Amino acid sequence: MLTKKTTSEEYSYYNCYELIVEKLELYKANMKMAEVFKRKVLKKKLKFAYQPIINSKTGKADYFEGLLRIVKDSGQLVSVGPYVQVAEDLGFISSIDELVLDMVFNELKNNKNLVLSFNISGLGIDNPILIDKIKRVFCDSNI
């Protein structure tokens, strides 16, 4: 934040140092999160948690939503939510969208009875290349 410092009634100045330090700390934290996410991708430590979408009339699952999760070393699944914002800020969200698409395709290919919805980023929805790939992958594979 900008901090107003007054040395006398006539003079004042603003200290931008704190703002720069805050931005550098945020940048370092974002880079650390990006590195963690990259390691998890390379080690194939991402998977879907299946959220059943329940039909209120039948009480049964109509389909599942595949929620992308990071598998911690302990085996615990954690949300990728915080990593999505970092990916958008650093410009690699389209790579995550493509990864999700590949994972969805593999899940559906291996389980023909699975009905699965999935999420892509807001930026992915506006990416005609990704949308064309989604159409091509699903039309060509008869999934």
Side-chain angles (χ1 to χ4, degrees):
M1 299 202 141
L2 293 177
T3 306
K4 185 175 181 180
K5 305 280 184 176
T6 304
T7 56
S8 73
E9 300 258 341
E10 296 175 24
Y11 300 100
S12 63
Y13 65 95
Y14 291 89
N15 183 354
C16 296
Y17 177 76
E18 288 137 2
L19 179 62
I20 293 168
V21 170
E22 281 179 26
K23 286 193 176 269
L24 285 173
E25 292 301 318
L26 179 61
Y27 177 76
K28 286 193 310 189
N30 284 349
M31 294 305 292
K32 183 177 180 180
M33 286 181 72
E35 181 60 29
V36 167
F37 193 79
K38 178 181 125 184
R39 280 194 312 263
K40 295 298 183 180
V41 168
L42 292 173
K43 292 181 178 181
K44 299 190 184 297
K45 293 290 186 175
L46 298 174
K47 66 184 286 185
F48 287 124
Y50 293 105
Q51 174 70 44
I53 307 303
I54 306 297
N55 182 315
S56 61
K57 292 180 182 175
T58 65
K60 296 181 180 180
D62 280 348
Y63 61 96
F64 295 88
E65 181 178 7
L67 303 170
L68 188 63
R69 297 291 185 251
I70 293 173
V71 182
K72 293 176 74 173
D73 293 337
S74 67
Q76 178 186 9
L77 300 180
V78 294
S79 173
V80 295
Y83 297 89
V84 169
Q85 185 61 52
V86 170
E88 287 178 350
D89 292 346
L90 297 178
F92 65 91
I93 192 66
S94 61
S95 298
I96 295 173
D97 287 335
E98 291 213 24
L99 173 71
V100 167
L101 179 59
D102 292 342
M103 290 174 67
V104 166
F105 177 74
N106 287 329
E107 291 290 320
L108 294 174
K109 186 172 70 172
N110 293 328
N111 186 347
K112 300 289 186 191
N113 296 322
L114 181 64
V115 180
L116 185 65
S117 69
F118 62 98
N119 299 309
I120 59 172
S121 70
L123 296 173
I125 291 171
D126 291 332
N127 180 344
I129 295 169
L130 182 65
I131 299 303
D132 286 345
K133 182 177 180 178
I134 291 170
K135 290 176 185 175
R136 191 175 58 254
V137 163
F138 288 102
C139 289
D140 292 350
S141 64
N142 295 319
I143 290 180

